[in-house]
mmCIF file of all heavy atoms in Angstrom:
data_model
loop_
_atom_site.group_PDB
_atom_site.id
_atom_site.type_symbol
_atom_site.label_atom_id
_atom_site.label_comp_id
_atom_site.label_asym_id
_atom_site.label_seq_id
_atom_site.Cartn_x
_atom_site.Cartn_y
_atom_site.Cartn_z
ATOM 1 N N TYR A 23 -10.456 9.765 -6.745
ATOM 2 C CA TYR A 23 -10.524 9.934 -5.323
ATOM 3 C C TYR A 23 -9.106 9.780 -4.751
ATOM 4 O O TYR A 23 -8.330 9.073 -5.135
ATOM 5 C CB TYR A 23 -11.494 8.892 -4.765
ATOM 6 C CG TYR A 23 -12.792 9.040 -5.227
ATOM 7 C CD1 TYR A 23 -13.379 8.232 -6.362
ATOM 8 C CD2 TYR A 23 -13.676 9.982 -4.850
ATOM 9 C CE1 TYR A 23 -14.500 8.396 -6.812
ATOM 10 C CE2 TYR A 23 -15.058 10.233 -5.450
ATOM 11 C CZ TYR A 23 -15.426 9.232 -6.343
ATOM 12 O OH TYR A 23 -16.619 9.436 -6.893
ATOM 13 N N GLU A 24 -8.895 10.478 -3.590
ATOM 14 C CA GLU A 24 -7.746 10.424 -2.887
ATOM 15 C C GLU A 24 -7.670 9.231 -1.807
ATOM 16 O O GLU A 24 -6.625 8.691 -1.667
ATOM 17 C CB GLU A 24 -7.415 11.757 -2.148
ATOM 18 C CG GLU A 24 -7.104 12.901 -3.197
ATOM 19 C CD GLU A 24 -6.913 14.227 -2.438
ATOM 20 O OE1 GLU A 24 -6.911 14.259 -1.251
ATOM 21 O OE2 GLU A 24 -6.685 15.181 -3.117
ATOM 22 N N LEU A 25 -8.791 9.129 -1.351
ATOM 23 C CA LEU A 25 -8.784 7.986 -0.019
ATOM 24 C C LEU A 25 -9.537 6.790 -0.637
ATOM 25 O O LEU A 25 -10.453 6.933 -1.436
ATOM 26 C CB LEU A 25 -9.475 8.463 1.162
ATOM 27 C CG LEU A 25 -8.599 9.830 1.725
ATOM 28 C CD1 LEU A 25 -9.407 10.410 2.875
ATOM 29 C CD2 LEU A 25 -7.216 9.304 2.110
ATOM 30 N N PRO A 26 -9.255 5.638 -0.148
ATOM 31 C CA PRO A 26 -9.909 4.392 -0.583
ATOM 32 C C PRO A 26 -11.280 4.262 -0.126
ATOM 33 O O PRO A 26 -11.743 4.671 0.939
ATOM 34 C CB PRO A 26 -9.024 3.328 0.091
ATOM 35 C CG PRO A 26 -8.442 3.875 1.338
ATOM 36 C CD PRO A 26 -8.274 5.339 1.043
ATOM 37 N N TYR A 27 -12.026 3.514 -0.889
ATOM 38 C CA TYR A 27 -13.382 3.040 -0.633
ATOM 39 C C TYR A 27 -13.550 1.733 -1.308
ATOM 40 O O TYR A 27 -12.863 1.464 -2.419
ATOM 41 C CB TYR A 27 -14.488 4.001 -0.994
ATOM 42 C CG TYR A 27 -14.672 4.310 -2.517
ATOM 43 C CD1 TYR A 27 -15.333 3.291 -3.268
ATOM 44 C CD2 TYR A 27 -14.048 5.320 -3.134
ATOM 45 C CE1 TYR A 27 -15.634 3.457 -4.683
ATOM 46 C CE2 TYR A 27 -14.104 5.492 -4.510
ATOM 47 C CZ TYR A 27 -14.915 4.559 -5.173
ATOM 48 O OH TYR A 27 -15.107 4.835 -6.625
ATOM 49 N N VAL A 28 -14.301 0.884 -0.833
ATOM 50 C CA VAL A 28 -14.354 -0.492 -1.298
ATOM 51 C C VAL A 28 -14.996 -0.564 -2.724
ATOM 52 O O VAL A 28 -15.883 0.226 -2.991
ATOM 53 C CB VAL A 28 -15.235 -1.373 -0.418
ATOM 54 C CG1 VAL A 28 -15.574 -2.728 -1.093
ATOM 55 C CG2 VAL A 28 -14.721 -1.589 0.995
ATOM 56 N N GLY A 29 -14.237 -1.167 -3.630
ATOM 57 C CA GLY A 29 -14.655 -1.217 -5.010
ATOM 58 C C GLY A 29 -13.967 -0.290 -6.020
ATOM 59 O O GLY A 29 -13.927 -0.432 -7.163
ATOM 60 N N MET A 30 -13.267 0.654 -5.340
ATOM 61 C CA MET A 30 -12.468 1.710 -6.200
ATOM 62 C C MET A 30 -11.427 0.944 -6.860
ATOM 63 O O MET A 30 -10.847 -0.073 -6.330
ATOM 64 C CB MET A 30 -12.100 2.985 -5.601
ATOM 65 C CG MET A 30 -10.978 2.848 -4.670
ATOM 66 S SD MET A 30 -10.301 4.418 -4.083
ATOM 67 C CE MET A 30 -9.296 4.868 -5.527
ATOM 68 N N HIS A 31 -10.790 1.415 -7.916
ATOM 69 C CA HIS A 31 -9.699 0.910 -8.556
ATOM 70 C C HIS A 31 -8.697 2.063 -8.956
ATOM 71 O O HIS A 31 -9.145 3.173 -9.253
ATOM 72 C CB HIS A 31 -9.964 -0.047 -9.672
ATOM 73 C CG HIS A 31 -10.561 0.590 -10.804
ATOM 74 N ND1 HIS A 31 -11.868 0.882 -10.859
ATOM 75 C CD2 HIS A 31 -9.855 1.020 -12.026
ATOM 76 C CE1 HIS A 31 -12.164 1.622 -12.046
ATOM 77 N NE2 HIS A 31 -11.085 1.636 -12.724
ATOM 78 N N TYR A 32 -7.446 1.631 -9.214
ATOM 79 C CA TYR A 32 -6.472 2.574 -9.901
ATOM 80 C C TYR A 32 -5.441 1.789 -10.551
ATOM 81 O O TYR A 32 -5.445 0.555 -10.329
ATOM 82 C CB TYR A 32 -5.854 3.537 -8.799
ATOM 83 C CG TYR A 32 -4.935 2.854 -7.847
ATOM 84 C CD1 TYR A 32 -3.609 2.879 -8.024
ATOM 85 C CD2 TYR A 32 -5.535 2.357 -6.651
ATOM 86 C CE1 TYR A 32 -2.703 2.229 -7.184
ATOM 87 C CE2 TYR A 32 -4.628 1.700 -5.730
ATOM 88 C CZ TYR A 32 -3.238 1.597 -6.103
ATOM 89 O OH TYR A 32 -2.432 1.059 -5.063
ATOM 90 N N ARG A 33 -4.738 2.346 -11.454
ATOM 91 C CA ARG A 33 -3.691 1.745 -12.236
ATOM 92 C C ARG A 33 -2.313 2.237 -11.707
ATOM 93 O O ARG A 33 -2.163 3.514 -11.670
ATOM 94 C CB ARG A 33 -3.853 2.131 -13.754
ATOM 95 C CG ARG A 33 -2.794 1.268 -14.648
ATOM 96 C CD ARG A 33 -3.259 1.518 -16.053
ATOM 97 N NE ARG A 33 -4.550 1.173 -16.345
ATOM 98 C CZ ARG A 33 -5.129 -0.062 -16.437
ATOM 99 N NH1 ARG A 33 -4.473 -1.221 -16.150
ATOM 100 N NH2 ARG A 33 -6.369 -0.237 -16.797
ATOM 101 N N SER A 34 -1.471 1.376 -11.156
ATOM 102 C CA SER A 34 -0.253 1.589 -10.681
ATOM 103 C C SER A 34 0.734 1.531 -11.823
ATOM 104 O O SER A 34 0.978 0.379 -12.497
ATOM 105 C CB SER A 34 0.139 0.809 -9.531
ATOM 106 O OG SER A 34 1.452 1.059 -9.079
ATOM 107 N N ILE A 35 1.425 2.537 -12.188
ATOM 108 C CA ILE A 35 2.408 2.638 -13.268
ATOM 109 C C ILE A 35 3.904 2.381 -12.761
ATOM 110 O O ILE A 35 4.252 3.312 -11.922
ATOM 111 C CB ILE A 35 2.298 3.799 -14.174
ATOM 112 C CG1 ILE A 35 0.824 4.251 -14.514
ATOM 113 C CG2 ILE A 35 3.262 3.762 -15.431
ATOM 114 C CD1 ILE A 35 0.201 2.991 -15.467
ATOM 115 N N MET A 36 4.492 1.505 -13.211
ATOM 116 C CA MET A 36 6.005 1.372 -12.866
ATOM 117 C C MET A 36 6.749 1.334 -14.186
ATOM 118 O O MET A 36 6.227 1.297 -15.209
ATOM 119 C CB MET A 36 6.121 0.005 -12.074
ATOM 120 C CG MET A 36 5.273 -0.028 -10.751
ATOM 121 S SD MET A 36 5.406 -1.547 -9.855
ATOM 122 C CE MET A 36 6.729 -1.152 -8.790
ATOM 123 N N LYS A 37 8.054 1.335 -14.045
ATOM 124 C CA LYS A 37 8.976 1.364 -15.220
ATOM 125 C C LYS A 37 8.664 0.240 -16.170
ATOM 126 O O LYS A 37 8.568 0.302 -17.401
ATOM 127 C CB LYS A 37 10.370 1.338 -14.822
ATOM 128 C CG LYS A 37 10.885 2.726 -14.128
ATOM 129 C CD LYS A 37 12.264 2.502 -13.863
ATOM 130 C CE LYS A 37 12.667 3.825 -13.048
ATOM 131 N NZ LYS A 37 14.098 3.718 -12.612
ATOM 132 N N SER A 38 8.507 -1.062 -15.651
ATOM 133 C CA SER A 38 8.498 -2.273 -16.481
ATOM 134 C C SER A 38 7.111 -2.723 -16.695
ATOM 135 O O SER A 38 6.817 -3.817 -17.295
ATOM 136 C CB SER A 38 9.395 -3.319 -15.956
ATOM 137 O OG SER A 38 8.989 -3.568 -14.592
ATOM 138 N N LYS A 39 6.076 -2.297 -15.766
ATOM 139 C CA LYS A 39 4.752 -2.902 -15.902
ATOM 140 C C LYS A 39 3.670 -1.921 -15.283
ATOM 141 O O LYS A 39 4.053 -1.012 -14.771
ATOM 142 C CB LYS A 39 4.696 -4.266 -15.095
ATOM 143 C CG LYS A 39 4.804 -3.941 -13.449
ATOM 144 C CD LYS A 39 4.734 -5.215 -12.829
ATOM 145 C CE LYS A 39 4.787 -4.971 -11.298
ATOM 146 N NZ LYS A 39 4.365 -6.197 -10.553
ATOM 147 N N GLN A 40 2.480 -2.356 -15.551
ATOM 148 C CA GLN A 40 1.256 -1.750 -14.999
ATOM 149 C C GLN A 40 0.440 -2.720 -14.147
ATOM 150 O O GLN A 40 0.354 -3.719 -14.434
ATOM 151 C CB GLN A 40 0.405 -1.107 -16.079
ATOM 152 C CG GLN A 40 1.130 -0.040 -16.805
ATOM 153 C CD GLN A 40 0.110 0.634 -17.912
ATOM 154 O OE1 GLN A 40 -1.243 0.550 -17.769
ATOM 155 N NE2 GLN A 40 0.714 1.181 -18.884
ATOM 156 N N SER A 41 -0.051 -2.266 -13.103
ATOM 157 C CA SER A 41 -0.897 -3.196 -12.325
ATOM 158 C C SER A 41 -2.259 -2.515 -12.121
ATOM 159 O O SER A 41 -2.405 -1.307 -11.873
ATOM 160 C CB SER A 41 -0.322 -3.418 -10.950
ATOM 161 O OG SER A 41 0.951 -4.067 -11.161
ATOM 162 N N LEU A 42 -3.204 -3.278 -12.107
ATOM 163 C CA LEU A 42 -4.671 -2.762 -11.852
ATOM 164 C C LEU A 42 -4.992 -3.220 -10.349
ATOM 165 O O LEU A 42 -5.016 -4.353 -10.085
ATOM 166 C CB LEU A 42 -5.732 -3.400 -12.861
ATOM 167 C CG LEU A 42 -7.115 -2.829 -12.675
ATOM 168 C CD1 LEU A 42 -7.185 -1.319 -12.828
ATOM 169 C CD2 LEU A 42 -8.106 -3.427 -13.644
ATOM 170 N N ILE A 43 -5.189 -2.253 -9.530
ATOM 171 C CA ILE A 43 -5.261 -2.485 -8.125
ATOM 172 C C ILE A 43 -6.787 -2.025 -7.731
ATOM 173 O O ILE A 43 -7.185 -1.059 -8.044
ATOM 174 C CB ILE A 43 -4.345 -1.555 -7.278
ATOM 175 C CG1 ILE A 43 -3.022 -1.587 -7.767
ATOM 176 C CG2 ILE A 43 -4.498 -1.869 -5.766
ATOM 177 C CD1 ILE A 43 -2.300 -2.905 -7.642
ATOM 178 N N TYR A 44 -7.482 -2.975 -6.943
ATOM 179 C CA TYR A 44 -8.737 -2.748 -6.419
ATOM 180 C C TYR A 44 -8.712 -2.579 -4.885
ATOM 181 O O TYR A 44 -8.037 -3.338 -4.283
ATOM 182 C CB TYR A 44 -9.771 -3.892 -6.788
ATOM 183 C CG TYR A 44 -10.098 -3.969 -8.240
ATOM 184 C CD1 TYR A 44 -9.415 -4.613 -9.072
ATOM 185 C CD2 TYR A 44 -11.203 -3.297 -8.583
ATOM 186 C CE1 TYR A 44 -9.753 -4.570 -10.523
ATOM 187 C CE2 TYR A 44 -11.762 -3.311 -9.917
ATOM 188 C CZ TYR A 44 -10.923 -3.931 -10.794
ATOM 189 O OH TYR A 44 -11.340 -3.952 -12.258
ATOM 190 N N SER A 45 -9.517 -1.632 -4.292
ATOM 191 C CA SER A 45 -9.700 -1.498 -2.987
ATOM 192 C C SER A 45 -10.692 -2.465 -2.554
ATOM 193 O O SER A 45 -11.799 -2.460 -3.134
ATOM 194 C CB SER A 45 -10.136 -0.200 -2.539
ATOM 195 O OG SER A 45 -10.312 -0.047 -1.159
ATOM 196 N N THR A 46 -10.349 -3.456 -1.717
ATOM 197 C CA THR A 46 -11.166 -4.616 -1.368
ATOM 198 C C THR A 46 -11.740 -4.635 0.083
ATOM 199 O O THR A 46 -12.598 -5.478 0.423
ATOM 200 C CB THR A 46 -10.474 -5.921 -1.717
ATOM 201 O OG1 THR A 46 -9.299 -5.836 -1.034
ATOM 202 C CG2 THR A 46 -10.433 -6.160 -3.086
ATOM 203 N N GLY A 47 -11.241 -3.724 0.917
ATOM 204 C CA GLY A 47 -11.642 -3.632 2.346
ATOM 205 C C GLY A 47 -11.419 -2.405 2.855
ATOM 206 O O GLY A 47 -10.339 -1.786 2.580
ATOM 207 N N LEU A 48 -12.095 -1.856 3.855
ATOM 208 C CA LEU A 48 -11.912 -0.718 4.504
ATOM 209 C C LEU A 48 -12.613 -0.635 5.838
ATOM 210 O O LEU A 48 -13.792 -1.056 5.919
ATOM 211 C CB LEU A 48 -12.314 0.517 3.725
ATOM 212 C CG LEU A 48 -12.169 1.849 4.367
ATOM 213 C CD1 LEU A 48 -10.719 2.190 4.582
ATOM 214 C CD2 LEU A 48 -12.830 2.929 3.508
ATOM 215 N N SER A 49 -12.011 -0.261 6.954
ATOM 216 C CA SER A 49 -12.618 -0.234 8.195
ATOM 217 C C SER A 49 -11.882 0.987 8.922
ATOM 218 O O SER A 49 -10.576 1.034 9.076
ATOM 219 C CB SER A 49 -12.213 -1.471 9.045
ATOM 220 O OG SER A 49 -12.744 -1.289 10.343
ATOM 221 N N PHE A 50 -12.635 1.997 9.313
ATOM 222 C CA PHE A 50 -12.152 3.151 9.920
ATOM 223 C C PHE A 50 -12.689 3.383 11.348
ATOM 224 O O PHE A 50 -13.913 3.321 11.593
ATOM 225 C CB PHE A 50 -12.468 4.499 9.111
ATOM 226 C CG PHE A 50 -12.070 5.622 9.736
ATOM 227 C CD1 PHE A 50 -10.752 6.059 9.524
ATOM 228 C CD2 PHE A 50 -12.897 6.402 10.435
ATOM 229 C CE1 PHE A 50 -10.295 7.249 10.096
ATOM 230 C CE2 PHE A 50 -12.538 7.632 11.063
ATOM 231 C CZ PHE A 50 -11.179 8.035 10.873
ATOM 232 N N HIS A 51 -11.846 3.530 12.282
ATOM 233 C CA HIS A 51 -12.095 3.886 13.625
ATOM 234 C C HIS A 51 -11.103 4.811 14.095
ATOM 235 O O HIS A 51 -9.990 4.779 13.559
ATOM 236 C CB HIS A 51 -11.981 2.600 14.568
ATOM 237 C CG HIS A 51 -12.957 1.492 14.144
ATOM 238 N ND1 HIS A 51 -14.228 1.552 14.493
ATOM 239 C CD2 HIS A 51 -12.757 0.474 13.414
ATOM 240 C CE1 HIS A 51 -14.937 0.557 13.883
ATOM 241 N NE2 HIS A 51 -13.913 -0.265 13.340
ATOM 242 N N PRO A 52 -11.356 5.787 14.965
ATOM 243 C CA PRO A 52 -10.357 6.851 15.266
ATOM 244 C C PRO A 52 -8.944 6.328 15.746
ATOM 245 O O PRO A 52 -7.964 6.998 15.379
ATOM 246 C CB PRO A 52 -11.072 7.656 16.432
ATOM 247 C CG PRO A 52 -12.500 7.482 16.291
ATOM 248 C CD PRO A 52 -12.597 6.007 15.653
ATOM 249 N N GLU A 53 -8.951 5.182 16.353
ATOM 250 C CA GLU A 53 -7.630 4.705 16.825
ATOM 251 C C GLU A 53 -7.092 3.478 15.897
ATOM 252 O O GLU A 53 -5.903 3.149 16.086
ATOM 253 C CB GLU A 53 -7.779 4.164 18.258
ATOM 254 C CG GLU A 53 -8.386 5.062 19.190
ATOM 255 C CD GLU A 53 -7.483 6.353 19.415
ATOM 256 O OE1 GLU A 53 -6.318 6.229 19.686
ATOM 257 O OE2 GLU A 53 -8.067 7.445 19.454
ATOM 258 N N ARG A 54 -7.786 3.203 14.839
ATOM 259 C CA ARG A 54 -7.441 2.075 14.076
ATOM 260 C C ARG A 54 -7.979 2.252 12.560
ATOM 261 O O ARG A 54 -9.256 2.203 12.496
ATOM 262 C CB ARG A 54 -7.913 0.852 14.663
ATOM 263 C CG ARG A 54 -7.562 -0.507 13.921
ATOM 264 C CD ARG A 54 -8.146 -1.612 14.813
ATOM 265 N NE ARG A 54 -7.913 -2.849 14.030
ATOM 266 C CZ ARG A 54 -7.026 -3.749 14.505
ATOM 267 N NH1 ARG A 54 -6.162 -3.527 15.484
ATOM 268 N NH2 ARG A 54 -6.949 -4.912 13.822
ATOM 269 N N ILE A 55 -7.128 2.091 11.579
ATOM 270 C CA ILE A 55 -7.693 2.156 10.283
ATOM 271 C C ILE A 55 -7.067 0.896 9.527
ATOM 272 O O ILE A 55 -5.848 0.628 9.565
ATOM 273 C CB ILE A 55 -7.290 3.461 9.321
ATOM 274 C CG1 ILE A 55 -7.770 4.785 10.185
ATOM 275 C CG2 ILE A 55 -7.636 3.381 8.055
ATOM 276 C CD1 ILE A 55 -7.176 5.863 9.594
ATOM 277 N N GLU A 56 -7.987 0.272 8.782
ATOM 278 C CA GLU A 56 -7.577 -0.972 8.049
ATOM 279 C C GLU A 56 -8.030 -0.764 6.637
ATOM 280 O O GLU A 56 -9.242 -0.471 6.461
ATOM 281 C CB GLU A 56 -8.136 -2.267 8.675
ATOM 282 C CG GLU A 56 -7.673 -2.600 9.969
ATOM 283 C CD GLU A 56 -8.434 -3.872 10.433
ATOM 284 O OE1 GLU A 56 -8.065 -5.040 10.130
ATOM 285 O OE2 GLU A 56 -9.278 -3.613 11.276
ATOM 286 N N PHE A 57 -7.157 -1.129 5.713
ATOM 287 C CA PHE A 57 -7.637 -1.276 4.344
ATOM 288 C C PHE A 57 -6.835 -2.251 3.484
ATOM 289 O O PHE A 57 -5.763 -2.505 3.928
ATOM 290 C CB PHE A 57 -7.734 0.136 3.631
ATOM 291 C CG PHE A 57 -6.334 0.825 3.488
ATOM 292 C CD1 PHE A 57 -5.802 0.685 2.215
ATOM 293 C CD2 PHE A 57 -5.830 1.549 4.402
ATOM 294 C CE1 PHE A 57 -4.481 1.379 2.026
ATOM 295 C CE2 PHE A 57 -4.589 2.190 4.195
ATOM 296 C CZ PHE A 57 -3.928 2.121 3.004
ATOM 297 N N SER A 58 -7.360 -2.799 2.508
ATOM 298 C CA SER A 58 -6.774 -3.733 1.740
ATOM 299 C C SER A 58 -6.899 -3.524 0.341
ATOM 300 O O SER A 58 -7.888 -2.842 -0.215
ATOM 301 C CB SER A 58 -7.410 -5.132 2.029
ATOM 302 O OG SER A 58 -8.765 -5.232 1.780
ATOM 303 N N GLU A 59 -5.883 -4.004 -0.500
ATOM 304 C CA GLU A 59 -5.943 -3.785 -2.028
ATOM 305 C C GLU A 59 -5.656 -5.213 -2.611
ATOM 306 O O GLU A 59 -4.833 -6.040 -2.119
ATOM 307 C CB GLU A 59 -4.788 -2.968 -2.274
ATOM 308 C CG GLU A 59 -4.905 -1.563 -1.723
ATOM 309 C CD GLU A 59 -3.596 -0.656 -1.895
ATOM 310 O OE1 GLU A 59 -2.732 -1.187 -2.447
ATOM 311 O OE2 GLU A 59 -3.757 0.521 -1.703
ATOM 312 N N THR A 60 -6.265 -5.434 -3.732
ATOM 313 C CA THR A 60 -6.060 -6.634 -4.522
ATOM 314 C C THR A 60 -5.451 -6.170 -5.802
ATOM 315 O O THR A 60 -5.946 -5.427 -6.594
ATOM 316 C CB THR A 60 -7.334 -7.542 -4.738
ATOM 317 O OG1 THR A 60 -7.741 -7.876 -3.383
ATOM 318 C CG2 THR A 60 -6.970 -8.681 -5.502
ATOM 319 N N ASP A 61 -4.178 -6.783 -6.165
ATOM 320 C CA ASP A 61 -3.646 -6.554 -7.309
ATOM 321 C C ASP A 61 -4.069 -7.746 -8.369
ATOM 322 O O ASP A 61 -3.701 -8.854 -8.273
ATOM 323 C CB ASP A 61 -2.124 -6.663 -7.245
ATOM 324 C CG ASP A 61 -1.289 -6.451 -8.398
ATOM 325 O OD1 ASP A 61 -1.873 -6.652 -9.632
ATOM 326 O OD2 ASP A 61 -0.204 -5.919 -8.333
ATOM 327 N N LYS A 62 -4.841 -7.290 -9.422
ATOM 328 C CA LYS A 62 -5.399 -8.165 -10.258
ATOM 329 C C LYS A 62 -4.330 -8.814 -11.221
ATOM 330 O O LYS A 62 -4.424 -9.966 -11.693
ATOM 331 C CB LYS A 62 -6.495 -7.600 -11.100
ATOM 332 C CG LYS A 62 -7.742 -7.200 -10.377
ATOM 333 C CD LYS A 62 -8.364 -8.395 -9.713
ATOM 334 C CE LYS A 62 -9.745 -8.061 -9.121
ATOM 335 N NZ LYS A 62 -10.290 -9.125 -8.416
ATOM 336 N N THR A 63 -3.229 -8.068 -11.421
ATOM 337 C CA THR A 63 -2.240 -8.494 -12.237
ATOM 338 C C THR A 63 -1.394 -9.720 -11.604
ATOM 339 O O THR A 63 -1.111 -10.710 -12.304
ATOM 340 C CB THR A 63 -1.224 -7.430 -12.651
ATOM 341 O OG1 THR A 63 -1.963 -6.251 -13.008
ATOM 342 C CG2 THR A 63 -0.175 -7.675 -13.721
#
Side-chain angles (χ1 to χ4, degrees):
Y23 300 98
E24 291 178 2
L25 298 175
Y27 66 87
V28 174
M30 75 167 283
H31 68 277
Y32 67 93
R33 188 169 307 284
S34 179
I35 311 295
M36 302 175 91
K37 290 179 186 174
S38 60
K39 67 176 185 169
Q40 295 183 23
S41 297
L42 186 59
I43 312 291
Y44 285 89
S45 178
T46 50
L48 177 64
S49 173
F50 176 82
H51 303 281
E53 307 297 316
R54 180 183 176 101
I55 300 171
E56 297 176 75
F57 64 98
S58 58
E59 305 171 347
T60 300
D61 182 332
K62 293 297 185 185
T63 309

